[in-house]
Amino acid sequence: MNEWSPNSWKTKPAAQTVAYPSPEEADRVVAQIAKLPPLVTSWEVLGLQSQLAEAARGERFLLQGGDCAESFETCDSATIANKLKVLLQMSLVLIHGSQRRVVRVGRFAGQYAKPRSEAVESRNGVTLPSYRGDLINHPEFTAEARTPDPWLMLRGYERAALTINFIRALVVGGFVNPHHLDYWNLDWVKDSSMAEEYRRIARTIGDSLQFTESLAGNHPGGFHWIDFFTGHEGLHLPYEQAQTRQVPRQHGWFDLSTHFPWIGMRTADPDGAHVEYFRGIRNPIGLKVGPGMSAEQLKRLIQILNPENEPGRLTLIHRFGSERIADCLPRLIEAARSTGSPVLWCCDPMHGNTRVTNGGVKTRVFDEIVDELDQAFVIHKAHGGRLGGMHVELTGEAVTECIGGARGLSENDLHRDYRSYLDPRLNYEQAMELALFAARKMRALNGYTSDEGFQPPKADSSRRVTARATSSR
Ligand code: PEP
Ligand code: CO
């Protein structure tokens, strides 16, 4: 294989590239970001890798969640804190269900660039470039807003720095103190039908923490107890390249824009630019796996991306859709196993279940999301393995973007508070409901309790949405 360097990706064919009006100006921005401090450190990155290695061995469960696309506009204290709260609450529930520690990775502090199926968008006879995320251009439908602006990379780096700064302050301060689980409460706890189940779990965890402490006589500090990592799709390679660094006392190169970058489904060509970039960085990385991935392609990708079979290096994030997972997943489990390389399997039950209503609104049906996750647990177990994580698009706000859940949101509710420019996210209550489902499922699979009395919602033909599936390769 050829020599790797932070910009060797430029010698390969790239999907989802951005044509800046002035490539020279884009180079100047990249050079400027390259001089600025990194957003994360190599110690943290390697710390995450060892946690993911533990997850691959079945000792932890990975929770990854956040917006489909973060926006510069909502880089504010409430939005960030609420996202942290819902992820913390979900992780408590998952600790209880899996009886394992949870690895928390937020889709934040850099989730600003989006792959698009269509390069252009037409409205009333006018055709403009598609909106590609705040790192690239603006959502407004004008020629000026849609023209890629390289300075947005610098704005994105700054927003990511502000976000990570606030998250670190919350994590090391009192906010995530496990003795004050009430700090994490969002409004739903007051009036949700699931509130009592959550409170019971929180009480059990609080009690066992107290018990451990009185036994061991120590007081685990909040920030030793809880780690938070960041992740985003490593889509816009100039931005990633600008933050690809060598550090003292470590060999190789790190992408220090984030702890956990992943390769999206549209850029997973083994001979393409993204795979070239990712093979050379030392971060633990994710790879999205969809229905279009053949067993041969997956084996090649594993070989290219993890030639040394390093534990924790590669997480396969599968997203097939509730109707296709049973067909697609088993052969890929066998393919990955045949390489002998350790991988962590994580289920993204969102991206294979995107639908468009007859009114043209992008949505997802909660029952289908639950159904895919349910099948993922069962299929991995039936194949002698284990589902080691879940990856969800969610928000800490009470948005109405996905249909269903305990509050029974219907297609008619979508217009009420639909804020996403791109994919529809679970609101905090739906996100908690999914975590409670996963927790019960893991307890049942671990033999703690039976599934008796609990009826997983079944996806059926009488869904409350009259929607067609969007294409999903
Ligand atoms: C995403 O995670 O927002 C995304 C675009 O996913 P995928 O690459 O799996 O379609
Ligand atoms: Co998305």
Side-chain angles (χ1 to χ4, degrees):
M1 210 165 281
N2 293 338
E3 197 68 13
W4 183 92
S5 70
N7 65 0
S8 58
W9 61 268
K10 290 185 174 170
T11 63
K12 304 276 180 171
Q16 302 283 332
T17 46
V18 172
Y20 287 111
S22 160
E24 296 73 31
E25 195 170 353
D27 289 344
R28 277 197 296 280
V29 179
V30 168
Q32 206 176 107
I33 298 174
K35 283 196 282 203
L36 296 169
L39 297 175
V40 302
T41 69
S42 60
W43 297 298
E44 294 170 331
V45 166
L46 294 175
L48 173 62
Q49 175 150 352
S50 60
Q51 291 196 13
L52 293 172
E54 288 170 15
R57 291 198 300 270
E59 296 159 14
R60 286 182 183 263
F61 189 77
L62 168 66
L63 169 64
Q64 206 182 356
D67 296 302
C68 178
E70 281 180 287
S71 93
F72 292 179
E73 191 91 330
T74 55
C75 178
D76 60 61
S77 133
T79 307
I80 297 168
N82 286 347
K83 229 177 301 180
L84 210 60
K85 284 179 185 177
V86 74
L87 288 169
L88 283 165
Q89 290 194 318
M90 288 172 83
S91 71
L92 264 196
V93 162
L94 292 170
I95 290 170
H96 187 254
S98 64
Q99 303 284 311
R100 292 175 173 89
R101 283 173 297 170
V102 166
V103 190
R104 300 168 195 79
V105 180
R107 279 176 70 117
F108 46 48
Q111 178 54 25
Y112 296 122
K114 296 307 298 174
R116 300 308 304 266
S117 316
E118 306 293 337
V120 291
E121 182 185 345
S122 298
R123 290 189 201 171
N124 305 323
V126 180
T127 299
L128 294 174
S130 295
Y131 168 57
R132 308 278 299 271
D134 283 2
L135 197 66
I136 316 283
N137 59 3
H138 302 280
E140 294 77 35
F141 194 72
T142 64
E144 195 193 347
R146 293 292 174 89
T147 303
D149 173 0
W151 291 102
L152 293 174
M153 282 191 272
L154 184 61
R155 296 284 93 82
Y157 162 86
E158 291 162 353
R159 286 288 200 277
L162 295 172
T163 305
I164 205 165
N165 177 59
F166 186 45
I167 289 169
R168 286 191 200 286
L170 289 171
V171 169
V172 300
F175 182 69
V176 302
N177 185 335
H179 298 277
H180 283 285
L181 301 178
D182 52 311
Y183 290 0
W184 311 349
N185 284 351
L186 285 156
D187 283 349
W188 77 273
V189 174
K190 280 197 239 103
D191 59 358
S192 167
S193 55
M194 295 167 297
E196 190 39 45
E197 186 176 358
Y198 173 73
R199 282 206 204 88
R200 212 176 41 245
I201 292 173
R203 264 198 310 274
T204 312
I205 292 187
D207 289 351
S208 40
L209 196 69
Q210 233 154 34
F211 175 73
T212 317
E213 282 186 16
S214 34
L215 209 65
N218 65 353
H219 293 268
F223 72 99
H224 290 304
W225 199 75
I226 287 173
D227 295 324
F228 240 102
F229 298 98
T230 65
H232 66 245
E233 178 172 350
L235 180 70
H236 194 44
L237 296 176
Y239 179 78
E240 306 303 327
Q241 180 197 317
Q243 297 179 75
T244 305
R245 315 278 165 90
Q246 285 180 301
V247 299
R249 287 176 291 282
Q250 290 288 354
H251 67 90
W253 295 81
F254 290 84
D255 178 359
L256 297 180
S257 74
T258 187
H259 303 110
F260 186 64
W262 72 84
I263 304 175
M265 203 186 66
R266 291 159 193 79
T267 48
D269 173 3
D271 300 309
H274 290 79
V275 171
E276 170 63 17
Y277 172 77
F278 273 77
R279 83 176 168 90
I281 54 170
R282 285 195 59 201
N283 303 54
I285 60 177
L287 172 69
K288 290 285 199 99
V289 174
M293 175 83 70
S294 70
E296 278 319 302
Q297 187 185 354
L298 181 62
K299 285 197 262 187
R300 253 193 91 202
L301 284 164
I302 292 175
Q303 209 278 320
I304 297 169
L305 295 169
N306 193 11
E308 311 286 335
N309 296 343
E310 269 178 66
R313 157 76 173 168
L314 186 60
T315 299
L316 300 179
I317 307 167
H318 56 74
R319 27 86 81 232
F320 298 111
S322 64
E323 281 165 12
R324 304 186 69 179
I325 182 171
D327 272 348
C328 298
L329 181 56
R331 65 188 158 80
L332 295 183
I333 293 176
E334 294 312 329
R337 185 168 293 142
S338 74
T339 65
S341 193
V343 295
L344 171 63
W345 287 101
C346 177
C347 174
D348 163 0
M350 313 297 293
H351 286 89
N353 291 311
T354 312
R355 295 176 169 271
V356 179
T357 66
N358 290 338
V361 183
K362 235 186 182 189
T363 191
R364 288 165 175 152
V365 180
F366 186 75
D367 289 358
E368 294 182 334
I369 293 169
V370 173
D371 188 36
E372 179 163 0
L373 187 60
D374 187 7
Q375 292 187 59
F377 277 114
V378 173
I379 294 169
H380 280 288
K381 185 161 170 121
H383 285 78
R386 187 173 162 275
L387 180 66
M390 60 196 264
H391 179 122
V392 246
E393 287 186 343
L394 55 79
T395 165
E397 316 297 315
V399 299
T400 57
E401 298 172 3
C402 293
I403 289 172
R407 228 165 269 262
L409 291 187
S410 74
E411 194 173 340
N412 294 333
D413 292 307
L414 295 180
H415 71 277
R416 232 178 343 103
D417 201 354
Y418 196 106
R419 301 185 208 168
S420 177
Y421 286 118
L422 293 146
D423 291 341
R425 303 156 297 174
L426 298 177
N427 62 31
Y428 56 73
E429 194 171 10
Q430 292 167 327
M432 285 305 297
E433 190 172 349
L434 190 66
L436 286 164
F437 168 79
R440 288 190 213 107
K441 188 79 195 174
M442 283 191 275
R443 281 183 78 77
L445 291 174
N446 290 342
Y448 280 94
T449 56
S450 76
D451 249 341
E452 242 175 83
F454 173 66
Q455 279 155 17
K458 267 265 144 276
D460 63 27
S461 51
S462 60
R463 292 174 194 120
R464 279 160 299 207
V465 62
T466 47
R468 60 184 189 277
T470 56
S471 69
S472 164
R473 285 192 302 164

